[in-house]
Amino acid sequence: MSCGCKTSGDSAHSCGPKKTANGCESVNTCGNSYKLSVFDWLSNINNPASNRCDYVEVRFKNDRKLFYKNVNNVPLHIGSVVTVESSPGHDVGVVSLTGELVKIQMKKKRASEESALKIYRLANQKDIEVWQEVRKKEDSVKIEARKIAHKIGLEMKVTDVEYQGDASKVTFYYTADNRIDFRQLIKEYASTFRTKIDMKQIGFRQEAAKVGGIGSCGRELCCSTWLTDFRSVNTNVARYQQLSINPQKLAGQCGKLKCCLNYELDSYLDALSNFPSSSTVLDTEKGRAFCIKIDVFKKKMWFAYVDSSMAWYDFDIDLVKKLIAQNKKGERTPPLEDLKQPDVPLHTIDLIQENSVDRFEKKNKSFNKNRPQNQNQNRPNNNQNGPNQGPRKPRPERSSDRPQNAEKSDRPERTERPARSENPNPNANANSNKPRPQKPQQQQPKAQLEKADATAADPEKSAQPNPNKKKFKKKFPPKKDNNA
C-alpha cells in the first residue's frame, strides 16, 4: 500500500514499499523540499501528561491542510493514509503531524476543536485505488475546464483542479481580476463532468505557490517550498534598499513584488537609522547642494549643486553630520570641491586569480614563448654583413662528424642564380633595398670594428665586390641511402 508522501499524493511520487507499521521510512527525505513536510521535534520525547492529544493534522493536494479528531483511537503515524469525513462523502489524505505539536499548530492557525471533523479509518485498498484514479484525471479535466471558460467568454484562468477522494466533488481553483458570473459556467461543468462543482478563487501569489517554478535567483520559489504566509510588499521597501523602481526586475512570477524584498528590510532600516535624512540640503559658499544617492554599505552620501547636478561628490556620513551642524549654526560650509578628499585605491590581492583573464593561457604562453626563440636560433641571419658589421667568418665544415654520401659527390654543384635584369614591379627593388630593422647585436671584437670603420670611411672600396669572399652553398640534408 502506497503512502503518498509527496504533495500530489500520486503513487508515482510516493515512497512505495517503504511504508511500515511505524509510518513512512523516508518521511524525513521524501518531499522535504515542500512546505507540507513537517519535522516533529517532539517525537523522541515522552509525554509527561497522562492524557494524549487526539487531534491529527492531515494534508491533501497542494498546500491544503486540515485538523481532524481521532475518535476511534486508530494507531496513526506520519505518512499514514487515512479516510476522513467530508461533505459530501469522504476524502483521502496523508497524516502530516501527530502528538502535542498539533495543539501548537491549531493554536497558531486559530482552529477550533469543536468544529474538527472525524477520522473514519485507515484507507483500505479500494479507497486508495479510487483516489489514485481520480488524481490521474485532473490534468485532462483542467484543460477541458479552460476550454469551456474560454468558449463562454469569461476572463478567468483555471489554475488547478482537485478531486475529492471518493470522486463525489471536484474543486476548481481560479484567478481573475474582476468578479465572475458562474451561473452558466457551473451548468456547463456539471453537465460535462457529472459531479458536484466547487469554485474557489485564489490570489496570484497562491497560484504561483500551487504551480511552482524557478525564481530569478536560480532556486525554487519560496512560496512553493517553505513560505506559509504572504506579507504585503510595497514600493517603499525597494526605496529603502536603494533599488531602481523597475517592475520587470522587482516582480516575481506571480506578477507582484517579490516576497524576498522583505527579508533584508530590517537590516537596511537599522543601517539607515544612522544616516542623515535623504532630503538633506547643504548651504555652501558656492551654492545649495542636495543629496542624490545613499550607499548603505560604504556609509557614504552623494551631493550635487542645484545649478550643476551633473557633478557628484561623495562624503562620509560623519562629515555630512558636521556640515549639517555647521549649517544649523548659520555658517556656510566650504565648496564641495574643497571638501572632497582623494580616493585612496585599495590594494587587493587576488589569491585565486578570478579576475585574471590570462589564467587559462599560461601554459600556452610558456610554450609559445620558447618556440620562436629556438626557431630564431636555428634560422640563418642574412643581415650580419651589414654596414655596421665586419665580414662573417667562414664556418668550418665538419667532415668528420657527418658520414660521406656516395651520391653527393656525383651531384653537380649548384650555381648562383643570375640577377634579373627586368623587374616588372618597379617598387620591388625599392622595398628590397630598404634595410631591415636589426636586433641589438652583441659587442663585436676590435678587429671587426676597425674593418667596419674603414669601410665606412672609404665608400668606394665598400662598393667594390670582394674577390676573396668565399661563396657559400646552400646546404641540404643528406638523402637516405636505401642500399646502405
Side-chain angles (χ1 to χ4, degrees), residues 317-336:
I317 58 173
D318 298 332
L319 180 59
V320 175
K321 290 179 181 179
K322 293 179 181 179
L323 298 177
I324 295 173
Q326 190 174 353
N327 285 337
K328 288 182 178 180
K329 295 178 182 178
E331 301 176 1
R332 289 188 176 185
T333 62
L336 299 180

Side-chain angles (χ1 to χ4, degrees), residues 185-359:
L185 183 66
I186 291 177
K187 290 180 183 178
E188 294 288 339
Y189 283 176
S191 61
T192 304
F193 304 119
R194 300 290 180 179
T195 184
K196 185 179 178 181
I197 306 299
D198 189 9
M199 304 294 296
K200 285 189 177 181
Q201 184 176 3
I202 59 176
F204 292 100
R205 294 188 175 183
Q206 285 81 4
E207 178 189 10
K210 289 179 180 294
V211 175
I214 304 297
S216 58
C217 58
R219 304 184 66 179
E220 279 190 82
L221 298 180
C222 298
C223 55
S224 62
T225 51
W226 61 272
L227 197 63
T228 55
D229 57 339
F230 298 99
R231 295 173 56 188
S232 61
V233 186
N234 51 22
T235 55
N236 290 331
V237 176
R239 291 191 178 94
Y240 285 134
Q241 301 179 31
Q242 309 299 319
L243 299 175
S244 61
I245 310 300
N246 189 354
Q248 295 180 353
K249 292 184 178 180
L250 298 180
Q253 291 192 359
C254 57
K256 306 294 182 181
L257 292 177
K258 294 180 181 178
C259 299
C260 55
L261 293 175
N262 282 330
Y263 297 165
E264 299 178 356
L265 178 61
D266 297 336
S267 301
Y268 276 91
L269 291 177
D270 293 341
L272 289 173
S273 62
N274 298 325
F275 277 73
S277 176
S278 59
S279 59
T280 301
V281 178
L282 299 178
D283 191 7
T284 65
E285 296 176 356
K286 193 175 179 180
R288 296 170 64 86
F290 63 96
C291 179
I292 291 182
K293 180 185 173 183
I294 294 176
D295 195 330
V296 179
F297 301 102
K298 294 182 179 180
K299 296 183 178 180
K300 288 186 177 182
M301 298 179 69
W302 274 260
F303 286 88
Y305 290 109
V306 178
D307 299 334
S308 59
S309 60
M310 297 301 295
W312 294 11
Y313 303 94
D314 58 307
F315 306 105
D316 294 335
I317 58 173
D318 298 332
L319 180 59
V320 175
K321 290 179 181 179
K322 293 179 181 179
L323 298 177
I324 295 173
Q326 190 174 353
N327 285 337
K328 288 182 178 180
K329 295 178 182 178
E331 301 176 1
R332 289 188 176 185
T333 62
L336 299 180
E337 297 87 350
D338 300 341
L339 296 172
K340 175 65 178 155
Q341 297 179 357
D343 295 334
V344 179
L346 298 176
H347 181 67
T348 58
I349 300 175
D350 192 6
L351 297 177
I352 58 177
Q353 297 182 353
E354 283 186 347
N355 299 326
S356 176
V357 183
D358 301 333
R359 65 183 186 273

Side-chain angles (χ1 to χ4, degrees), residues 4 35 84 88 93-94 161 165 176 217 249 286 327 344 374 377 381 400 430 453:
K35 59 186 174 184
V84 298
V94 181
V161 176
C217 58
K249 292 184 178 180
K286 193 175 179 180
N327 285 337
V344 179
N374 299 332
Q377 291 174 2
N381 191 358
S400 60
D453 294 340

